[in-house]
């Protein structure tokens, strides 16, 4: 159009138009060259004599070769800035660096930079940052590493940073190397989880408290020279010092405890002669450690659980706490007799099937990362969950508490889980499910979820871990939700890494879960049930969800109905009489998966819509709405 105008206007005006286009280019285009950006960055530095060859004579990169000192190049673009031992000081112009779109690593080690840590949140794509050996000081905001999902290496050693080690570090999915030695950090070390870090050093700070379990395999020299750190690999934490008053109180308590113990021993020896065994105390022989070891052996397939240890009558009993009054009581020994079998091993621990003497099968789930709350609070939370009563919510029958692990006991469900029937091997006798069964399952799940919302209003995500393997199916394929309400007790780092709520778009984008997060999980479950496909984003831990199930379904739906065969699971059938209703449910699934929380339905609306879906398309209804 410009060209057309120019011919009409003639030669003189053509020049004006050309000038206009050039001006427009400068106004609208922020495409500064890398040289311009780097020169702006250099301007803010003090004592930058070492950067004398940074000038406009040639661009910083030529292919993979760097033409400027301290620049790392690939394919003619800057991917790294490495300015070490150059006596540099002044301000680090993060806003300039931000414009280097391919920048992945930055090192300013061993210079004279001071003041607070620059706002590196703005450099969201960085993979490594090296600022060791400067004079940086002051606290680091807790959230400064939020959203830096690519960050692998952080070197801040030999500075004067103070305050607490930022909590946002434990949310970084790719972090492997963290060097913070020789600073003035105080407080406790954040709960880094097991296997996350490969290199780690916080020696010579002012840290206190117990070293997190996830770091206990590190070299002891990584923790030396702190104020008061304890626990593996250092010495174990001593009990707190006691005042005289406390000693007296403890003395009295110990006396009482001894008296109580003697009474218990007397009662127990009396009970031994009585046949009935209705007490809830498990008579697992040996001590608690041996009990764990039995489970461990089972996991390794060297099981012959309990039987082997049955011979010795032990003294440390394993106490199961029952949450349902109307249930037959049993003990851990009853549960773990020879018929125990491993059902699967999840991210938090393993699941066993165990049969009671009467033949009734129970499921024992073992959780290892549940130390977010203390013993009292844990008991209280379990009692709260134990009070729940709904046909689509699987009750927790009993639990066992130990600091290092928890066991939750519930009934065994004959048809195992929705996962098995959606993705299991049909030739192994798992009947594939038809449309009416699937619809019934989704309706039951929705009801159960709404019940959890009503009964657990204080939880942000009342379920928190809704996925097909946590939708159990009874003998009539009615769904029962399990693993609900655990977000408050699971260790935060584990929750963030593994629980479905933390795979939601809102957690990825804003680091927050909301009251609508379980609705998103419900949407994913609907899509999984209708397509028979695994939501790939669950499987690719930590990766972006580019191959996300919701976007795939959405694309196909948008492209028109011709492709719908490709979306619906072929085993589901029902196309002739129910395709309209099937489409309705699919669309509900998509709406629940809406990435923008504001636009997403709340639980009430989602459940109402699901309730309206019918088993068969109804001709009359279509006519009346003008559909035909
Ligand atoms: C550089 O180019 C090669 C070949 O085209 C490509 O494989 C590589 O990924 C590119 N690297 C970057 C950082 O773009
Ligand atoms: C740092 O940058 C981020 C992202 O641009 C911004 O949200 C945040 O407010 C900044 N923090 C400070 C302390 O300036
Ligand atoms: C611990 O680190 C020190 C110093 O880096 C090294 O000499 C020592 O061998 C390491 N010990 C272990 C058990 O890795
Ligand atoms: C940790 O840093 C201290 C102090 O620089 C050093 O002596 C120690 O060897 C380091 N340990 C490891 C494992 O890097």
């Amino acid at each position: 159009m410009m060209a057309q105008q120019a011919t009409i206007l003639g030669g003189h005006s053509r020049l004006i138009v050309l000038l206009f286009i050039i001006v427009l280019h400068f106004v609208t285009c922020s495409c500064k060259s890398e040289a311009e950006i780097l020169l702006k960055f250099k301007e803010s530095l003090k004592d930058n004599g070492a950067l004398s060859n940074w000038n406009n004579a040639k661009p910083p990169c030529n292919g993979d070769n760097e033409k400027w000192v301290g620049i790392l190049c690939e394919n003619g673009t800057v991917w790294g800035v490495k300015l070490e031992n150059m006596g540099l000081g002044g301000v680090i112009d993060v806003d300039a660096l931000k414009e280097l779109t391919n920048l992945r690593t930055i090192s300013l080690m061993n210079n004279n930079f001071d003041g607070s840590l620059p706002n590196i949140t703005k450099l969201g794509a960085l993979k490594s940052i090296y600022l060791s050996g400067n004079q940086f000081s002051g606290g680091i905001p807790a959230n400064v590493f939020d959203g830096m999902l690519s960050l692998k290496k952080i070197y801040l050693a030999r500075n004067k940073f103070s305050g607490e080690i930022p909590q946002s570090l434990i949310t970084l999915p790719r972090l492997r190397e963290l060097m913070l030695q020789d600073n003035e950090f105080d407080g406790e070390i954040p709960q880094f989880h097991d296997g996350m870090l490969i290199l780690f050093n916080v020696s010579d700070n002012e840290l206190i408290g117990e070293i997190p379990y996830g770091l206990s395999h590190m070299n002891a020299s990584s923790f030396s020279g702190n104020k008061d750190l304890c626990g593996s690999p250092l010495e174990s934490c001593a009990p707190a010092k006691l005042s005289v008053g406390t000693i007296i109180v403890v003395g009295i308590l110990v006396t009482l405890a001894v008296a109580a113990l003697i009474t218990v021993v007397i009662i127990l020896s009396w009970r031994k002669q009585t046949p009935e065994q209705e007490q809830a105390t498990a008579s697992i022989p040996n001590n608690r450690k041996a009990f764990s070891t039995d489970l461990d052996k089972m996991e390794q397939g060297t099981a012959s659980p309990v039987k082997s240890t049955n011979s010795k009558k032990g003294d440390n009993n394993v106490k199961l706490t029952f949450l349902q009054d109307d249930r037959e009581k049993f003990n851990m020994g009853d549960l773990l007799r020879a018929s125990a079998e491993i059902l699967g091993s999840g991210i938090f621990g393993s699941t066993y099937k165990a049969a009671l003497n009467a033949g009734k099968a129970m499921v024992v789930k073992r959780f290892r990362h549940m130390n977010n709350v203390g013993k009292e609070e844990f008991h209280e939370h379990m009692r709260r969950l134990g009070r729940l009563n709904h046909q689509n919510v699987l009750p927790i029958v009993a639990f066992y508490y130990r600091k290092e692990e928890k066991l939750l006991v519930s009934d065994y469900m004959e048809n195992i889980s929705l996962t098995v029937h959606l993705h299991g091997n049909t030739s192994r006798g798992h009947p594939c499910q038809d449309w009416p069964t699937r619809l019934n399952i989704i309706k039951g799940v929705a009801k159960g979820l709404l019940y959890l919302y009503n009964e657990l209003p204080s939880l942000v995500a009342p379920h928190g871990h809704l996925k097909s393997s946590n939708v159990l199916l009874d003998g009539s394929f009615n769904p029962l939700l399990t693993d609900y309400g655990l977000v408050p007790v699971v260790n935060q780092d584990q929750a963030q890494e593994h629980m479905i709520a933390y795979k939601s778009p809102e957690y990825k984008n804003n680091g927050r879960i909301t009251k609508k997060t379980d609705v998103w999980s419900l949407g994913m479950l609907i899509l999984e049930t209708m397509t028979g496909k695994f939501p790939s984003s669950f499987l690719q831990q930590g990766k972006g969800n580019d191959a996300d199930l919701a976007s795939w379904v959405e694309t196909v739906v948008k492209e028109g109905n011709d492709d719908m065969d490709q979306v619906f699971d072929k085993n589901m059938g029902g196309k002739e009489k129910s395709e309209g209703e099937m489409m309705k449910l699919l669309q509900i699934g998509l709406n629940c998966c809406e990435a923008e929380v504001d636009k997403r339905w709340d639980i009430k609306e989602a459940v109402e819509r699901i309730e309206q879906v019918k088993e068969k398309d109804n001709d009359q209804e279509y006519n009346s709405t003008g559909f035909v």
Side-chain angles (χ1 to χ4, degrees):
M1 198 182 77
M2 281 293 184
Q4 227 175 11
Q5 242 169 355
T7 12
I8 295 166
L9 291 172
H12 188 60
S13 320
R14 201 176 291 181
L15 191 64
I16 295 172
V17 171
L18 197 63
L19 276 176
F20 175 72
I21 291 173
I22 291 170
V23 170
L24 197 70
H25 175 82
F26 275 95
V27 171
T28 58
C29 182
S30 61
C31 39
K32 284 200 206 103
S33 72
E34 289 184 328
E36 284 171 297
I37 296 166
L38 285 169
L39 287 174
K40 182 157 180 289
F41 169 69
K42 174 184 170 185
E43 246 172 59
S44 67
L45 301 177
K46 261 195 334 216
D47 305 318
N48 59 16
L51 307 181
S52 59
N53 81 345
W54 285 31
N55 56 51
N56 274 322
K58 50 187 174 327
C61 290
N62 178 8
D64 288 353
N65 300 322
E66 38 274 356
K67 296 294 169 194
W68 291 11
V69 65
I71 297 297
L72 305 172
C73 300
E74 190 173 308
N75 297 352
T77 169
V78 178
W79 69 271
V81 171
K82 186 177 174 189
L83 309 175
E84 298 174 356
N85 302 301
M86 289 179 171
L88 299 171
V91 179
I92 296 169
D93 188 346
V94 179
D95 291 304
L97 291 176
K98 193 173 75 177
E99 295 185 57
L100 292 172
T101 47
N102 295 309
L103 188 68
R104 295 294 175 266
T105 179
I106 178 165
S107 175
L108 301 170
M109 289 219 284
N110 305 326
N111 284 289
N112 298 323
F113 291 104
D114 55 13
S116 51
L117 181 75
N119 189 351
I120 55 174
T121 319
K122 294 179 181 176
L123 307 175
L126 278 191
K127 289 184 174 170
S128 49
I129 179 157
Y130 303 84
L131 299 176
S132 296
N134 282 284
Q135 309 285 323
F136 288 112
S137 60
I140 302 181
N143 60 357
V144 74
F145 296 106
D146 275 356
M148 302 191 73
L149 301 180
S150 311
L151 207 48
K152 263 190 172 148
K153 306 180 184 184
I154 302 176
Y155 284 65
L156 304 179
R158 291 177 286 113
N159 280 286
K160 293 179 193 155
F161 288 117
S162 55
E164 298 207 337
I165 297 176
Q167 283 293 332
S168 49
L169 286 170
I170 64 174
T171 67
L172 299 180
R174 296 206 166 70
L175 188 63
R176 296 295 172 265
E177 300 176 14
L178 179 62
M179 296 303 198
L180 303 176
Q181 67 267 32
D182 292 298
N183 279 287
E184 294 161 19
F185 287 113
D186 56 27
E188 297 191 5
I189 303 175
Q191 294 286 329
F192 290 98
H193 55 259
D194 209 4
M196 179 177 174
L197 293 166
I198 293 165
L199 288 179
F200 178 80
N201 202 333
V202 289
S203 65
D204 299 310
N205 280 282
E206 289 163 23
L207 299 165
I208 57 168
E210 187 166 4
I211 294 170
Y213 173 72
L215 298 174
S216 55
H217 62 286
M218 291 285 169
N219 190 320
S221 71
S222 299
F223 302 96
S224 61
N226 275 285
K227 211 171 180 178
D228 196 8
L229 278 179
C230 60
S232 176
L234 304 182
E235 279 175 22
S236 56
C237 299
K241 283 201 182 116
L242 304 173
S243 71
V244 179
T246 327
I247 288 172
I248 294 172
V249 172
V250 168
I252 294 171
L253 287 179
V254 167
T255 317
L256 286 177
V258 169
L261 195 70
I262 292 170
T263 320
V264 166
V265 168
I266 292 170
I267 292 176
L268 279 185
S269 55
W270 170 74
R271 283 187 89 105
K272 241 184 200 167
Q273 281 128 34
T274 68
E276 76 256 76
Q277 250 201 338
E278 21 87 82
Q279 71 198 80
T281 306
S283 57
I284 281 248
N286 278 340
N287 54 27
R288 291 168 179 207
K289 219 172 196 156
F291 163 62
S292 258
T293 318
D294 283 333
L295 293 181
D296 286 331
K297 274 194 209 133
M298 285 174 63
E299 276 172 35
Q300 290 153 14
T302 55
S304 128
V306 180
K307 262 198 172 161
S308 57
T309 57
N310 235 354
S311 47
K312 277 188 280 171
K313 281 284 174 200
D315 26 50
N316 291 329
N317 283 332
V318 176
K319 193 172 184 326
L320 267 185
T321 308
F322 276 80
L323 294 168
Q324 313 292 329
D325 293 335
D326 54 343
R327 299 293 297 240
E328 175 205 355
K329 304 287 189 286
F330 48 84
N331 59 43
M332 219 52 225
D334 294 336
L335 267 185
L336 290 179
R337 279 183 221 294
S339 59
E341 132 196 13
I342 296 184
L343 288 177
S345 47
I347 42 178
F348 297 115
S350 302
T351 303
Y352 314 86
K353 177 186 175 186
L356 292 174
N357 282 341
K360 179 156 175 55
M362 306 298 293
V363 168
V364 183
K365 270 200 177 181
R366 183 187 195 190
F367 292 87
R368 291 180 200 252
H369 305 281
M370 263 198 193
N371 301 317
N372 202 36
V373 299
K375 183 170 181 177
E376 275 314 301
E377 240 177 294
F378 186 85
H379 275 250
E380 177 52 34
H381 191 67
M382 283 301 125
R383 279 195 287 275
R384 219 164 130 211
L385 298 185
R387 282 195 291 270
L388 298 176
N389 179 13
H390 186 274
Q391 58 175 358
N392 298 115
V393 173
L394 185 74
I396 303 174
V397 174
F399 72 95
Y400 162 69
Y401 177 97
R402 195 162 64 104
K403 188 153 181 274
E404 301 81 41
E405 70 183 338
K406 322 282 179 286
L407 304 177
L408 302 189
V409 181
S410 51
D411 289 322
Y412 177 76
M413 289 294 120
E414 203 172 316
N415 279 311
I416 316 179
S417 71
L418 180 57
T419 303
V420 170
H421 293 273
L422 288 179
H423 314 292
N425 188 347
T426 44
S427 66
R428 293 234 319 259
H430 297 134
C432 48
Q433 292 168 24
D434 54 8
W435 153 247
T437 312
R438 292 188 202 208
L439 177 61
N440 180 54
I441 289 171
I442 293 298
K443 284 188 171 176
V445 168
K447 279 185 209 144
L449 192 56
L450 183 62
Y451 174 80
L452 292 178
Y453 265 84
N454 290 333
E455 295 298 310
L456 304 170
S458 62
L459 300 194
V460 177
H463 194 295
H465 202 35
L466 180 60
K467 55 175 185 167
S468 58
S469 59
N470 284 334
V471 175
L472 305 189
L473 300 175
D474 71 8
S476 320
F477 288 96
N478 288 315
L480 289 101
L481 299 178
T482 184
D483 276 12
Y484 46 82
L486 297 181
V487 170
V489 292
V490 170
N491 298 5
Q492 276 304 300
D493 51 348
Q494 287 291 321
Q496 281 158 5
E497 175 133 354
H498 295 301
M499 294 186 86
I500 298 305
Y502 293 92
K503 310 278 178 223
S504 61
E506 52 269 40
Y507 189 76
K508 283 204 178 110
N509 296 335
N510 312 319
R512 268 198 314 234
I513 58 174
T514 74
K515 276 279 180 189
K516 289 183 179 177
T517 299
D518 274 334
V519 176
W520 174 81
S521 315
L522 176 63
M524 292 305 279
L525 188 81
I526 293 174
L527 298 186
E528 184 183 347
T529 307
M530 298 300 285
T531 61
K533 290 191 167 38
F534 248 122
S536 59
S537 54
F538 296 175
L539 299 176
Q540 307 172 332
Q541 303 273 344
K543 280 192 196 154
N545 53 354
D546 29 1
D548 176 292
L549 183 59
S551 9
W552 174 69
V553 173
E554 186 147 35
T555 321
V556 181
V557 171
K558 270 195 190 137
E559 279 167 4
N561 284 359
D562 291 351
D563 268 348
M564 288 319 292
D565 280 349
Q566 184 192 327
V567 169
F568 290 132
D569 186 355
K570 290 193 178 48
N571 295 328
M572 180 165 61
K575 259 183 63 97
E576 307 73 34
K577 289 182 182 151
S578 314
E579 198 178 5
E581 295 297 305
M582 283 160 58
M583 272 306 286
K584 239 195 229 173
L585 187 55
L586 194 70
Q587 191 60 53
I588 291 171
L590 285 175
N591 283 339
C592 291
C593 289
E594 167 63 53
E596 275 184 59
V597 176
D598 289 342
K599 290 193 199 156
R600 191 185 304 159
W601 291 337
D602 61 15
I603 185 70
K604 240 181 112 235
E605 169 132 38
V607 174
E608 272 166 23
R609 302 279 181 145
I610 291 169
E611 284 294 312
Q612 288 163 13
V613 180
K614 300 199 185 70
E615 203 179 297
K616 292 208 178 92
D617 294 350
N618 181 333
D619 290 344
Q620 251 179 346
E621 200 181 347
Y622 280 80
N623 284 333
S624 67
T625 52
F627 209 85
V628 172

